Each structure stands twice: as C-alpha cells, then as structure tokens.
Amino acid sequence: MASIPVESGAGPGLAISSLTVHYFGRDTPALSDVSVDVRPGALVGVAGRNGAGKSTLALAAAGLIPRVVRARLEGTVTADGVPLGTSEGVASHVGIVFPNPHNQISATKATVREELAFGLENLGVARADMERRIEAIAARLGLSELLDRYPFALSGGEQQRVAIGSVVALGGRVLVLDEPTGQLDPAGTETVRDLLLTQAEDGTAVLCAEHSDVVLATADRVLVLDAGRSVGIATPRVALSGQALAASGLEPPTIIRLAELAGLGVDDPLDDEHIADALAGAAVGPDRRPTDGDDRSATDLGGRFAVRDGALLEIADLRYRYPTGIDAVRGVDLRVEPGERVAIVGQNGSGKTTLVKHINGLLRPSTGRVSLAGRDLSTIKVHEAARTIGFVFQNPDDQLFNRSVERELAFGPRNLAFSSERSAQLIDAALSAAQLQGVRSDNPYDLGYSDRKLVALASVLAMDPAILVLDEPTTGQDGPGVAQVGAIVDGLSAIGRTVIAITHDMEFAARHFGRIVVMRQGEVVADGTPEAVFAPGQEELLASTGLRPPLAARIGAKLGLGSTPTVDALLDALAVADAVVKPD
C-alpha cells in the first residue's frame, strides 16, 4: 500500500546539536548536551526510563520548546534546514504525535474524516489532494470504517490512531512521535511501526520515543537517554543490549534478551524465526537465564493490607448499546471467583472498557444482569459499590483533581467514612505499594504521566477494595514501572483480593494473571489460562481480534515446545528438551 505523500523537496532532516533544556523552577536540566541527527529516510528510536528526557527531546525536536512549552534552551534544533527556535509555521516542517490523543484531537470536529482534514485545511491543501490523503491514511491505520464516527465516541486506541493519522497526513519531511503506540493493541502497534518504516523509506526523517520493542527493534538506530544525558546511539541490537542498558536501570526488551541467550550476533536479524533457530541449538542453563523482567515482589502487601476475600462477580447475558446505536457488548457471560486474577484482552474497540464499566455500575446494562455477591448491581448505588469495587481509569487525568498526592489518596477513605486512624494506615500502605512516598506532598500534575498513573492506582488502593479493576494499567510505564504494577497485582492476589485488568500487554497478562478473557466485537471468544489461550494453534483466533501471543509463546510454538506463554516457561521447556536430547 502506498505511503502518505511527503512534500516535495529533499530537506536535510532533523539535526539536534548540544541540546540542553532547563525547566524553570527545577534544579537540574531535563536534557544535558544531547545531540542526534535524523537524516531523511531514517527511523531513529529513543529509549530510556520514564523521566530520562524522552518527551522533552520530542517537544524540542518539534519546535515546541521554548515557543509553546516554557523552558530555557541551549544548543540548536533544525528541521528541514530551518532553525525551529525562531521559525514561524513550524507545522509545515515537522509534525509531532503526543502519547495521549486527548492532547491532540481538536474536539471541534464531528467526524473522524473532519478531524483528519483539520490540519490539511489549515495548511491550505487542495480539496482533491486532501481527500486522497485522508483515504490513504485511513486505509493504512484501519480507520476507513470509522471515518463518519464522532472521534470521542471511539476507544482510546482508536483515538490514538486518529491522532497519528492527522499528523502523518500533513506530509511533513520530519515526523516526531512521543510513545505513539502506548494505547494500541498489538496489531495496531505493528500497523504504526509499518507506517513509520514506509514513511522513512519515502524520505521522511522519523524520531520516535518509545517503550515498545516492536518499534525500537526495527529502528535504524536507537538513542538511549538516562537522567537527561545520552548514554549512546547505535543499532537496536547494540543500544538495547544488557551491557549497554545496565547503568540506566532498564532491562533489555524480551526480543533482545532472547537474542543474547541464543548467541545471535549484532548483525543478525531480530525476528522470531532467527531467534527460534538459534535457541534450538543453544544450551540453556541456569547461569545463562535472563530474568523475566524486573522481579520485584509485592507479597508483603499482607503486612499493610488485611487478608480479605473478594466477592463473587457474575455477568449474565450482558448487552449494552450506546445512544449512538453502537452495540458495544453482545451477550457476555462471565463468572469471576473471589481472589481470581483476570486479564481482559482484545483489539481496540472490542468492548473491553464498556464491559468493565458495568462491573462498578458506571454503566447500566441494556439487557442482562451484573451481580455482586448475589446482589444485582443495578440496585446498588455507585458510591456503595465503591466499598467493594475499585476502578482505575486508563487516563489518570480523568481521575485526579486534588492539590497533593496525599490529599488525592485521602479523598476516597474520607468519603467512605473510614476512621482517621484507618485512613492514615491505608494511605501509607498505598503510597508504599506504589513507591510514591517521596512525592506525597507533590501536586499530581507536577508529576509525569507514568507517576500520575501510579497515583491514580494508589488512590483506589487506599479505599481498600475487595475487587480492583484496572484499565490499561501499564500504558506509559517503563520496564520497572510495569514490574511495579505487576507486583501490586501479585501482592493483592496473595491476600485474597480479586484483580481484573484490561491490557494490550500480552507479556504482562501472561505473567501476572491466571486467566485470560479474549473479546472480539463485543463478545467473549476465548476464556482460559495463559497456557491455553496462548497455546500453539490459537494464533488465528488471536489475530482475528488484533492480538499476537507473547514472543516466548511464538518461539516455543516454532520449536514445538508446547505452550510457553512466559520467558520462564520457554526456558523451562528448552531445558527439558535439551536434557532429553543430551541426557547425562
């Protein structure tokens, strides 16, 4: 399929030299002496911990610092040969995609088609060319069926694809993206990766800050940042290796860890097939095993939260139709036992969020029934249900409103009429669980997005719910952040709480949840353990709902090792296979 046309003229791409950015009121600079060149035709990834400076680099690369975002900038940034710090009409030279579509979609347009046309209209693009670009980008991003829908009636991932499309359609020669795939399902992430690669092939200079190894592993080069400084820039295999990342506190992506375990060289392709072939001949002993991510534990939550049984949750023939006529949930039957960990997965727009909003009464069924401990939830007021069920929204900015983290956490216990002593204990326990003790007096909106996500989670933990519902809890989190959320899930399970999570992170689901529920077009199409749902032979079903099994499961299937949904399961199967082939 053709790429979105790039404006004529061969520009020199994006050049950042000795860039230092210092936000007013902060003691240390957000970036210090960072340089990177992105030539036309190149895709350069940016990796690093949250707070390392990735978003600041993106803002500066797009000319928004200091013109829009107030900060002191030293060094130079040029795009398409134009110094961005002094240039008018920056949008004609560089486009930027933000991680949250709510910060990008105009909120002035009635349809997706009009939203995609908004920037083109402002640039004076001829109508025929405008329509051609809209149809092309809609086809590339799977938006063709959504062109007449209201943008804010779409799922978060669908909105993100609209935001990406609205910028790529402009056809600029420089494209900057800040974590563009965080809200996308696996198929959507691969679609965006392919789009970026195609745009680069056609002469666009692409700079993409990401956590996703799907994008980073296919970049020409990856710049790694740590505490605002450049650790280095190299090919993905070198830049994201365990040795290169050791000082930054990041674990290599799973694909890199398995490539290293398999003994692949730095010039070998990073794909399932090559890794599987190499692993087939590699001896996997305990001393060579990579850990399955940051293995921090939260089982000590039992020392801060009481052991407590969750209530039985039952959903019977649930159907929900939005006023727009969209049937979002179609006859779902689900029974969640006390203490279960259930991950709900599926493509953007499959009905996951609509389903879980029925669990705490935010939505009422069109038909069917949701019951909690035998009581019909439609007869229970939302604030009463909150005593048992805690809900953490996907976007923390829909949830946070207080002047400090501590006040945010105190709001729920106070409204549930907990005693002062119990409230104080729960607030301390929630801050500790989310590792937020050091920011308890900070305003949540002075924190980064990932920390605001943890504040929103902690504010619900402080209400001591028996059932915790999480909507995309790992979006925007780096590796240690994902591990922290996983540790909270594991710790809650250890003390008898029920955890239900919507997630697009298949590795997170496989590692931390004992049950996977797969949705497609408002229906449940699979329900079982990670070993069953991600087993060989399930690829076609998962693909029909925008999913792929975790990398470990895909490699295990290629090697005929059975169901290996996690890295640990894959390594165990490899060790058994090796012992059978080479007995002592």
Side-chain angles (χ1 to χ4, degrees):
M1 188 177 293
S3 65
I4 308 307
V6 177
E7 294 294 332
S8 60
L14 176 68
I16 298 173
S17 178
S18 301
L19 179 65
T20 296
V21 176
H22 204 138
Y23 291 113
F24 300 113
R26 299 195 181 180
D27 295 333
T28 57
L31 289 176
S32 299
D33 196 27
V34 173
S35 299
V36 60
D37 287 334
V38 187
R39 308 305 300 171
L43 168 58
V44 174
V46 184
R49 291 285 307 271
N50 286 328
K54 302 188 300 298
S55 293
T56 298
L57 180 64
L59 291 170
L64 298 182
I65 296 177
R67 296 177 58 84
V68 178
V69 179
R70 296 277 295 164
R72 186 173 69 251
L73 183 149
E74 301 171 9
T76 61
V77 180
T78 62
D80 197 23
V82 177
L84 295 187
T86 59
S87 172
E88 299 290 341
V90 168
S92 63
H93 302 289
V94 57
I96 182 170
V97 175
F98 298 111
N100 187 345
H102 287 201
N103 296 334
Q104 191 130 20
I105 294 177
S106 70
T108 64
K109 301 301 180 181
T111 68
V112 169
R113 186 186 302 277
E114 292 173 349
E115 186 64 43
L116 294 175
F118 182 69
L120 298 171
E121 291 171 336
N122 281 275
L123 291 180
V125 174
R127 187 173 187 84
D129 187 22
M130 185 187 306
E131 292 177 350
R132 177 173 58 85
R133 292 194 194 191
I134 290 171
E135 294 296 332
I137 194 64
R140 287 302 308 267
L141 291 173
L143 297 171
S144 298
E145 300 300 318
L146 305 176
L147 286 174
D148 296 322
R149 296 271 301 276
Y150 177 53
F152 285 105
L154 304 179
S155 72
E158 290 169 337
Q159 290 177 23
Q160 182 67 350
R161 281 185 277 144
V162 172
I164 294 169
S166 68
V167 175
V168 175
L170 298 177
R173 288 190 289 268
V174 177
L175 180 61
V176 177
L177 307 100
D178 186 6
E179 297 185 26
T181 68
Q183 302 198 41
L184 301 183
D185 57 45
T189 297
E190 293 183 359
T191 295
V192 169
R193 175 204 61 195
D194 293 345
L195 174 65
L196 298 183
L197 290 171
T198 302
Q199 292 303 115
E201 288 172 0
D202 281 6
T204 305
V206 183
L207 180 72
C208 184
E210 261 292 0
H211 290 308
S212 168
D213 57 349
V214 172
V215 176
L216 292 176
T218 55
D220 297 293
R221 293 175 298 149
V222 175
L223 168 68
V224 179
L225 297 176
D226 181 33
R229 297 184 177 276
S230 173
V231 173
I233 183 168
T235 63
R237 182 67 175 80
V238 174
L240 301 176
S241 67
Q243 181 178 0
L245 294 180
S248 67
L250 281 174
E251 288 281 347
T254 299
I255 194 168
I256 301 292
R257 288 189 285 140
L258 290 179
E260 291 177 344
L261 183 70
L264 288 178
V266 295
D267 296 324
D268 289 322
L270 281 175
D271 59 51
D272 299 4
E273 203 72 47
H274 281 83
I275 293 174
D277 288 345
L279 279 174
V284 182
D287 57 329
R288 295 194 59 194
R289 287 174 173 240
T291 61
D292 212 357
D294 185 343
D295 194 23
R296 67 186 70 188
S297 170
T299 54
D300 63 346
L301 284 182
R304 302 190 292 272
F305 292 91
V307 175
R308 179 177 173 188
D309 289 335
L312 174 65
L313 182 69
E314 294 180 285
I315 299 173
D317 195 26
L318 177 66
R319 299 174 186 272
Y320 185 79
R321 171 175 288 187
Y322 282 101
T324 56
I326 300 297
D327 290 313
V329 177
R330 308 177 183 185
V332 168
D333 294 298
L334 205 60
R335 178 185 173 100
V336 180
E337 300 290 343
E340 273 198 288
R341 285 175 290 171
V342 181
I344 302 175
V345 303
Q347 65 195 135
N348 295 127
S350 62
K352 304 183 301 296
T353 298
T354 300
L355 173 63
V356 299
K357 282 184 176 179
H358 284 81
I359 292 175
N360 70 337
L362 289 179
L363 293 176
R364 303 295 189 186
S366 299
T367 63
R369 173 186 169 98
V370 180
S371 62
L372 177 66
R375 290 185 62 191
D376 189 338
L377 260 178
S378 65
T379 67
I380 305 175
K381 294 181 180 179
V382 173
H383 74 274
E384 293 177 355
R387 294 182 177 278
T388 302
I389 303 170
F391 188 96
V392 183
F393 290 91
Q394 178 176 353
N395 183 358
D397 300 340
D398 291 337
Q399 193 159 344
L400 304 177
F401 58 90
N402 266 298
R403 297 194 301 271
S404 74
V405 170
E406 185 168 12
R407 290 171 67 94
E408 193 71 56
L409 269 63
F411 180 81
R414 183 173 63 250
N415 279 272
L416 294 177
F418 292 168
S419 69
S420 298
E421 182 180 4
R422 186 182 179 202
S423 294
Q425 291 173 343
L426 288 170
I427 290 168
D428 287 343
L431 287 170
S432 178
Q435 295 193 347
L436 294 170
Q437 301 96 320
V439 297
R440 69 187 299 157
S441 299
D442 292 16
N443 188 313
Y445 286 95
D446 288 337
L447 305 178
Y449 179 79
S450 59
D451 282 337
R452 295 202 304 277
K453 292 270 288 187
L454 290 173
V455 172
L457 171 54
S459 72
V460 175
L461 287 179
M463 298 167 68
D464 202 22
I467 300 174
L468 180 66
V469 182
L470 307 169
D471 192 351
E472 297 292 352
T474 63
T475 299
Q477 298 291 352
D478 55 18
V482 172
Q484 185 62 37
V485 175
I488 291 172
V489 171
D490 294 344
L492 288 173
S493 177
I495 57 173
R497 310 299 175 90
T498 302
V499 184
I500 301 170
I502 293 171
T503 183
H504 289 130
D505 187 335
M506 297 300 101
E507 288 193 32
F508 176 74
R511 186 177 181 206
H512 295 287
F513 292 84
R515 180 180 172 192
I516 311 290
V517 174
V518 183
M519 292 192 69
R520 180 181 63 206
Q521 297 180 347
E523 299 177 343
V524 172
V525 295
D527 184 351
T529 63
E531 290 75 16
V533 171
F534 296 132
Q538 292 287 80
E539 292 87 349
E540 185 175 345
L541 170 66
L542 293 172
S544 73
T545 188
L547 303 178
R548 294 186 74 194
L551 177 64
R554 302 198 304 270
I555 290 178
K558 289 181 181 297
L559 294 174
L561 298 175
S563 185
T564 57
T566 66
V567 171
D568 280 344
L570 173 63
L571 298 182
D572 288 341
L574 282 168
V576 170
D578 189 58
V580 170
V581 174
K582 303 172 184 176
D584 292 337

